[in-house]
Amino acid sequence: MPELPEVETIRRQLAPEVAGRVVRRLDVLDPLWSRPVDPAELGAAVSGRGIREMGRRGKYLLLRLDGGETLAMHLRMTGNLLLVEDGEAAEARFLRARFELDDGRELWFTDARRFGQALLLGDERLEEHLAERLGLEPFSEDFTPAALGEMAAGRSAPLKSFLLDQKGVAGVGNIYADEALFRASLHPLSPAGSMRSGHLEDLHEGILGALRAGLDEGGASIDDYRDARGERGTMQDEFLVHTREGLACPRCGESIRRIVVSGRSTYFCPGCQVRLRRRRRRSRL
DNA sequence: AGGTCGGCCTGGCAGC
DNA sequence: TGCTGCCAGGCCGACC
């Protein structure tokens, strides 16, 4: 699934290719992609516009256009954004939207499950939209163990659910949540508010370490994910626990388990990931 | 208000 | 072989 490392891999590949180009034409083939906006309306609004840059916030790809508007795209589960050299020759399976650039190349948004969406907003409204949904960027200097502690304080939700919540740390999804918790030696069912300062440092480091590994490997291609060139990432070969049920823990050798937390498959090592207890409220003096 | 759950959506695969 | 039914999960709205 596209999470921060996958989306950032695509952004890094596309940014130098699309900056300064013009979208000669945007063809929206699937009304679900532009919903609730009419496909033809969104197509007309983007066609002819110059591209300033390709950005990212959380798991959103941000196509920044001339004139102070941005097309925010979300890949959700099975979306891909491909740079296509020859639109005639490429296989158009699951094609939902097609951008023709002024250099003859095309950007294709493909999406088997059709969860992906795009939204055109003025930059001010976009900032509001993102601020309502997303918390800290993990690679910003604002993301510190102390900031993590402030977000987790008083929360009884399991650490796994806490990490999946985009309003906390933006960009972490099911894969990297499992990997981060393993790196931090923290049990996914531990209440978020139960972490002490050492745990906060471990989790902070675990999140960054897992995301960096994903970036180094060009993302994880368990099934649908491909980078902007259509190639697979290799992070799935480096997973420490995710999808490794029954295999030996790389740290202590115990058998990795799979449980369901918040309806999501969750992999962890019962041998070395510590289950914290809910912190007792400070008694009043 | 914080936490959980069902719905969106469909390809792929297990099971018969 | 071919059909059915279930699973995957990011995000959001409904509900407790």
Side-chain angles (χ1 to χ4, degrees), chain A residues 4-67:
Chain A
L4 188 152
E6 288 75 25
V7 177
E8 178 62 17
T9 296
I10 292 170
R11 189 205 67 78
R12 288 179 184 176
Q13 291 175 333
L14 289 181
E17 307 295 336
V18 302
R21 302 253 65 91
V22 172
V23 179
R24 199 186 284 155
R25 176 183 159 82
L26 168 62
D27 205 1
V28 179
L29 307 168
D30 183 354
L32 279 186
W33 192 72
S34 59
R35 187 181 56 179
V37 175
D38 180 75
E41 193 183 312
L42 182 65
V46 173
S47 296
R49 306 279 291 272
I51 300 170
R52 287 201 180 146
E53 60 171 0
M54 179 69 83
R56 180 194 60 77
R57 176 83 169 88
K59 300 175 198 169
Y60 288 84
L61 279 165
L62 306 174
L63 190 69
R64 303 225 176 247
L65 303 172
D66 290 338

Side-chain angles (χ1 to χ4, degrees), chain A residues 63-119:
Chain A
L63 190 69
R64 303 225 176 247
L65 303 172
D66 290 338
E69 286 193 314
T70 295
L71 186 71
M73 293 176 275
H74 201 300
L75 302 171
R76 295 283 170 96
M77 306 286 304
T78 53
N80 288 121
L81 191 59
L82 301 163
L83 183 64
V84 173
E85 300 283 338
D86 180 359
E88 303 283 305
E91 203 222 319
R93 207 178 176 211
F94 310 132
L95 184 59
R96 306 298 176 200
R98 186 178 62 225
F99 301 75
E100 293 175 22
L101 304 180
D102 60 340
D103 62 0
R105 296 192 292 181
E106 301 186 358
L107 276 182
W108 284 13
F109 193 109
T110 65
D111 189 0
R113 252 167 258 178
R114 303 175 69 203
F115 281 127
Q117 273 181 285
L119 183 65

Side-chain angles (χ1 to χ4, degrees), chain A residues 105-272:
Chain A
R105 296 192 292 181
E106 301 186 358
L107 276 182
W108 284 13
F109 193 109
T110 65
D111 189 0
R113 252 167 258 178
R114 303 175 69 203
F115 281 127
Q117 273 181 285
L119 183 65
L120 182 65
L121 290 176
D123 287 344
E124 208 164 298
R125 289 242 3 242
L126 176 76
E127 283 313 310
E128 289 173 19
H129 184 89
L130 296 176
E132 284 166 12
R133 288 164 177 77
L134 303 177
L136 295 178
E137 273 302 314
F139 291 112
S140 75
E141 56 188 32
D142 295 341
F143 180 59
T144 60
L148 199 56
E150 274 175 45
M151 294 186 294
R155 295 193 52 177
S156 61
L159 277 176
K160 176 66 183 272
S161 312
F162 171 70
L163 289 182
L164 292 178
D165 183 356
Q166 300 301 296
K167 292 188 193 72
V169 187
V172 176
N174 204 39
I175 292 171
Y176 296 96
D178 284 356
E179 296 291 295
L181 288 171
F182 175 77
R183 285 167 177 263
S185 300
L186 290 168
H187 195 292
L189 291 176
S190 298
S194 65
M195 290 184 292
R196 304 187 64 94
S197 71
H199 302 129
L200 291 167
E201 283 168 25
D202 293 345
L203 185 56
H204 177 261
E205 197 50 48
I207 291 167
L208 291 177
L211 294 176
R212 277 195 205 104
L215 282 168
D216 288 347
E217 298 294 330
S221 294
I222 298 176
D223 38 27
D224 294 86
Y225 171 72
R226 298 292 182 273
D227 67 20
R229 302 181 187 116
E231 283 164 26
R232 301 171 69 90
T234 54
M235 180 60 188
Q236 66 280 2
D237 303 328
E238 308 299 324
F239 285 164
L240 302 173
V241 284
H242 192 73
T243 69
R244 297 180 59 80
E245 183 179 18
L247 299 175
C249 167
R251 191 163 47 213
C252 76
E254 190 113 333
S255 184
I256 291 165
R257 280 192 59 199
R258 173 188 179 273
I259 58 174
V260 175
V261 184
S262 308
R264 303 286 172 265
S265 284
T266 298
Y267 300 86
F268 72 103
C269 172
C272 60

